[in-house]
Amino acid sequence: MLNIVLFGPPGAGKGTQSERLIEKYNLVHLSTGDIFRANIKGGTELGVLAKSYIDKGQLVPDEVTIKMLESEVSKCPDAKGFIFDGFPRTSAQADALDNFLGTKGEHISIMLALDVPEQELKKRLLERAKVSGRADDADPAIIQKRIDVYNSETFPVKEYYQKQNKFSDIYGIGSIEEIFDRLVNAINNIQ
Ligand code: AMP
């Protein structure tokens, strides 16, 4: 199995690149943000809870997020591999993912971390808000909060994979094709 953690701050291009990677490698795309948004749209209990955090730019609690992610993985027993997009976002989530995959005799193959300067992220998110309709992309204060949460809570997850020699830093500026080629090169290096 090829199991990829696609990592990076909000606006780094994780969703865009995931779409291409799943096609090339025949993987299942699991974006925790997308799953939360689908639950919000569907008016589920999970959606109501998630919205209260997402609207403030905060992380949804680990326990809820981990349970949801595990349930989504379990729905795809025949998957050739997964792209985890926006997960794990805390060290506790990274630990839980390793343990969970371990129970299935699987593991994370690589963490690909998209590296994009903060100014560029803010520009991209405000631009995306015009088409995504996402309230958390449209408000500069919420964007700042999400970037701050990334720096304080999510950034340390890099180290978690660095220690396992699974970390690959990808320069996230350039055309979509250029960045995709960098990701593919990093994946080819592990196979
Ligand atoms: P994203 O679509 O990845 O930008 O995520 C949008 C929002 O969903 C985030 O700002 C968080 O509030 C929430 N979220 C997504 N993934 C996670 C996660 N792994 N852990 C906690 N909260 C998350």
Side-chain angles (χ1 to χ4, degrees):
M1 259 183 148
L2 175 62
N3 291 314
I4 298 171
V5 170
L6 192 55
F7 190 77
K14 300 188 293 293
T16 305
Q17 294 297 339
S18 287
E19 280 173 27
R20 288 164 183 253
L21 290 169
I22 53 168
E23 222 174 274
K24 182 167 172 76
Y25 294 101
N26 199 8
L27 305 172
V28 173
H29 179 207
L30 288 184
S31 155
T32 40
D34 283 353
I35 302 166
F36 284 134
R37 281 185 289 277
N39 274 276
I40 293 171
K41 221 172 157 191
T44 68
E45 205 178 313
L46 174 63
V48 173
L49 177 89
K51 189 174 180 344
S52 66
Y53 293 93
I54 293 174
D55 282 354
K56 290 186 223 138
Q58 294 170 353
L59 293 183
V60 178
D62 281 338
E63 206 188 292
V64 179
T65 308
I66 290 166
K67 213 172 117 201
M68 177 185 85
L69 192 276
E70 291 182 356
S71 138
E72 292 295 323
V73 170
S74 299
K75 283 182 196 164
C76 308
D78 299 327
K80 290 203 159 60
F82 293 90
I83 293 191
F84 299 100
D85 162 4
F87 185 95
R89 259 174 156 101
T90 64
S91 303
Q93 291 180 13
D95 248 336
L97 182 60
D98 267 0
N99 290 332
F100 179 66
L101 291 177
T103 64
K104 298 179 180 298
E106 290 298 335
H107 60 271
I108 291 298
S109 316
I110 190 169
M111 173 201 245
L112 300 166
L114 289 168
D115 202 4
V116 177
E118 200 167 306
Q119 272 320 101
E120 173 69 14
L121 296 174
K122 291 178 182 164
K123 208 176 85 191
R124 286 188 191 178
L125 288 171
L126 288 170
E127 209 42 52
R128 183 170 79 181
K130 294 179 193 162
V131 284
S132 73
R134 282 177 56 173
D136 61 342
D137 284 346
D139 180 339
I142 304 290
I143 290 178
Q144 189 60 54
K145 173 73 186 166
R146 288 163 68 201
I147 291 173
D148 291 347
V149 167
Y150 172 81
N151 288 332
S152 61
E153 294 183 54
T154 305
F155 191 79
V157 177
K158 272 189 184 190
E159 232 172 69
Y160 183 94
Y161 291 98
Q162 259 163 346
K163 281 188 192 142
Q164 297 185 7
N165 284 325
K166 289 180 179 171
F167 173 79
S168 185
D169 214 8
I170 307 291
Y171 183 52
I173 297 282
S175 71
I176 292 174
E177 279 70 26
E178 280 166 347
I179 298 165
F180 182 66
D181 285 347
R182 290 173 203 148
L183 293 167
V184 169
N185 276 337
I187 294 168
N188 287 342
N189 279 338
I190 51 163
Q191 284 178 332

